Amino acid sequence: MNIHEYQAKELLAKFGIGIPTGYPATSVAEAVEGAKKLPGPLYVVKAQIHAGGRGKGKFKELGADAKGGVRLAKSIEDVEKDAGEMLGNTLVTVQTGDAGKQVNRLYVTDGVDIAEEYYLSMLVDRASGRIAMIVSTEGGMDIEEVAHSTPEKITTITIDPATGFMPHHGREVAFALKLSGDLNKQAQKLSKQLYEAFTTLDCDMLEINPLVETKDGNLLVLDTKMSFDSNALYRHPDVEAMRDETEEDPMEVEASKYDLAYIKLDGDIGCMVNGAGLAMATMDIIKLNGSFPANFLDVGGGATTEKVTAAFKIILSDPAVKGILVNIFGGIMRCDTIAEGIVAAAKEVDLSVPLVVRLEGTNVQQGKDILANSGLPIVPADNLGDAAQKIVGEVKKAA
Ligand code: ADP
Ligand code: MG
């Protein structure tokens, strides 16, 4: 789960980490009110969307020479003008895709006198099975570009969970950022605080870009992105409350209500499968037969009629779907129960595309009989290979 910059900064501040003062706003009046609480004379008005690259982004509704989604304002009047231009409009950045994202929220913060911009991020590194800190002197820019053209400017430090964060990790971070004196000490302290925040909050990613050195010699987090391990959210109701569903894919939000694991993909064959491994295998075999899956969808162990119906609705609400492949193994859940669920769901959603169903497991024959006697144009399949061939064939035939 992702959160907004202003929320991430609120969380980091609780760990003693330095951030510029700022106030979130959902209206121009709130933005002005926030700016009045700041010392000035430099303010920054920042679009709050779940995507980076806002500074260089462009608003769809404004001209090509209009300013982007992070704006320096030199007076309260400018804050008012910028807030008015940004709220409600659509910001397109390198991370939003062409559709862009509507800006419904702003963050009005202190303008900072920047001496240097650095990069620091943390993530759970699957290769080493540890938390890694990635630091670079090249902050404020696209880190992928830095990694590509000047990889020697990026340092990765992994932290053994058995020891946790040790003083030498902090020294390595400060050294990689080429800091000396008091700034070096600040970097050591900051990296320790970040590790504590990361582990305490069950983050899976925390990126600070840029981390800045101010002209008066302080390290401040100027921009940050944070995401959390969804499986650990139950431990952090305060973080869960920060969820902003308007920033998420509406179909994925709907799926999460029914506890369905759904991820939209680019192909045209909708898949409904129980078990993540079987779902992966189903997607592979669709590809092997020359087509592409429109989604990954795991209905989980308890494939009830309610869940199956919700899954059908979600799959069918995707206009790219030209056919559906249901591949369910009836273990604890018997095939006849699943077949009843499929028939009820198919009737309720008024199925308009070919549907191939492969059932296997307990009471499979009863299940197949229910499908055959349903009066619905359901194409039965005997095994996974047969099922994939049939759905790819049906979709080609319908096209
Ligand atoms: P994004 O990464 O989405 O473009 P940032 O918050 O990193 O957004 O802002 C882009 C750039 O704007 C930063 O690299 C920094 O140079 C400048 N900037 C952002 N916030 C401030 C601030 N509070 N004071 C001064 N400059 C800022
Ligand atoms: Mg940034």
Side-chain angles (χ1 to χ4, degrees):
M1 185 190 87
N2 297 314
I3 57 173
H4 289 295
E5 172 197 1
Y6 81 93
Q7 296 167 319
K9 284 183 173 170
E10 261 170 33
L11 290 173
L12 292 182
K14 288 188 191 154
F15 289 83
I17 293 162
I19 57 160
T21 313
Y23 301 95
T26 52
S27 68
V28 176
E30 261 177 30
V32 168
E33 209 182 297
K36 282 184 180 160
K37 287 190 250 176
L38 295 169
L42 190 61
Y43 310 89
V44 184
V45 186
K46 309 180 81 172
Q48 298 296 288
I49 53 171
H50 287 185
R54 296 162 301 168
K56 294 200 179 97
K58 290 278 167 213
F59 281 97
K60 266 195 173 164
E61 296 82 356
L62 307 178
D65 44 338
K67 290 190 282 177
V70 175
R71 300 181 174 193
L72 300 183
K74 295 208 172 76
S75 64
I76 303 271
E77 291 70 39
D78 281 353
V79 170
E80 185 170 10
K81 188 166 156 283
D82 283 326
E85 266 189 37
M86 292 160 88
L87 278 170
N89 280 336
T90 316
L91 184 60
V92 181
T93 81
V94 286
Q95 291 184 6
T96 60
D98 292 341
K101 286 206 157 175
Q102 192 180 45
V103 177
N104 301 317
R105 205 178 283 269
L106 301 171
Y107 190 44
V108 183
T109 93
D110 251 347
V112 172
D113 249 342
I114 301 172
E116 288 292 342
E117 299 197 337
Y118 305 108
Y119 177 93
L120 193 163
S121 69
M122 295 177 71
L123 47 84
V124 180
D125 176 20
R126 285 163 201 272
S128 62
R130 295 175 177 188
I131 291 172
M133 259 189 195
I134 297 154
V135 282
S136 174
T137 49
E138 309 304 293
M141 46 186 104
D142 186 359
I143 197 68
E144 280 83 12
E145 178 52 35
V146 179
H148 181 72
S149 48
T150 48
E152 70 281 2
K153 290 189 171 159
I154 294 179
T155 305
T156 303
I157 299 152
T158 58
I159 298 147
D160 188 332
T163 64
F165 193 89
M166 302 288 281
H168 72 86
H169 293 124
R171 290 194 292 271
E172 282 173 73
V173 169
F175 180 78
L177 294 178
K178 298 189 167 56
L179 296 172
S180 55
D182 186 55
L183 282 163
N184 182 296
K185 289 211 179 72
Q186 286 185 46
Q188 294 185 42
K189 186 170 161 203
L190 172 76
S191 42
K192 185 171 193 291
Q193 290 166 324
L194 286 172
Y195 182 81
E196 202 180 310
F198 191 94
T199 48
T200 308
L201 297 170
D202 291 309
C203 291
D204 58 23
M205 197 275 306
L206 194 173
E207 182 182 58
I208 300 168
N209 190 21
L211 168 70
V212 298
E213 176 187 327
T214 62
K215 291 229 169 91
D216 54 8
N218 287 309
L219 281 185
L220 282 183
V221 170
L222 215 63
D223 181 22
T224 182
K225 263 203 222 166
M226 249 171 143
S227 74
F228 301 86
D229 179 348
S230 306
N231 295 317
L233 277 176
Y234 73 96
R235 295 206 283 218
H236 310 286
D238 52 332
V239 173
E240 203 165 12
M242 291 180 164
R243 184 166 181 190
D244 181 353
E245 289 187 351
T246 63
E247 290 287 327
E248 298 175 18
D249 181 294
M251 287 194 248
E252 289 178 17
V253 172
E254 186 64 17
S256 71
K257 284 185 198 154
Y258 294 91
D259 211 16
L260 302 165
Y262 171 87
I263 294 155
K264 162 118 183 71
L265 300 168
D266 295 333
D268 58 6
I269 297 185
C271 306
M272 179 157 76
V273 190
N274 65 339
L278 194 57
M280 298 294 281
T282 306
M283 298 194 320
D284 282 349
I285 205 153
I286 288 172
K287 263 189 112 166
L288 196 65
N289 280 275
S291 224
F292 290 91
N295 65 274
F296 169 96
L297 196 160
D298 173 11
V299 291
T304 58
T305 306
E306 196 199 8
K307 267 191 166 186
V308 172
T309 309
F312 262 118
K313 283 186 183 160
I314 289 163
I315 292 175
L316 284 170
S317 65
D318 177 358
V321 169
K322 301 285 182 282
I324 301 178
L325 173 56
V326 175
N327 183 19
I328 291 195
F329 184 81
I332 297 167
M333 182 65 68
R334 300 187 323 258
C335 289
D336 49 334
T337 313
I338 293 164
E340 274 162 15
I342 293 170
V343 170
K347 281 187 177 151
E348 192 182 326
V349 298
D350 202 5
L351 199 68
S352 51
V353 294
L355 169 63
V356 173
V357 178
R358 181 247 178 167
L359 287 179
E360 193 53 83
T362 317
N363 290 358
V364 64
Q365 198 49 51
Q366 286 101 305
K368 284 184 176 172
D369 292 346
I370 292 168
L371 295 180
N373 299 329
S374 66
L376 291 166
I378 298 174
V379 180
D382 291 325
N383 56 52
L384 189 45
D386 182 40
Q389 253 171 28
K390 278 183 173 151
I391 188 64
V392 172
E394 290 287 331
V395 168
K396 288 219 171 97
K397 208 161 64 187

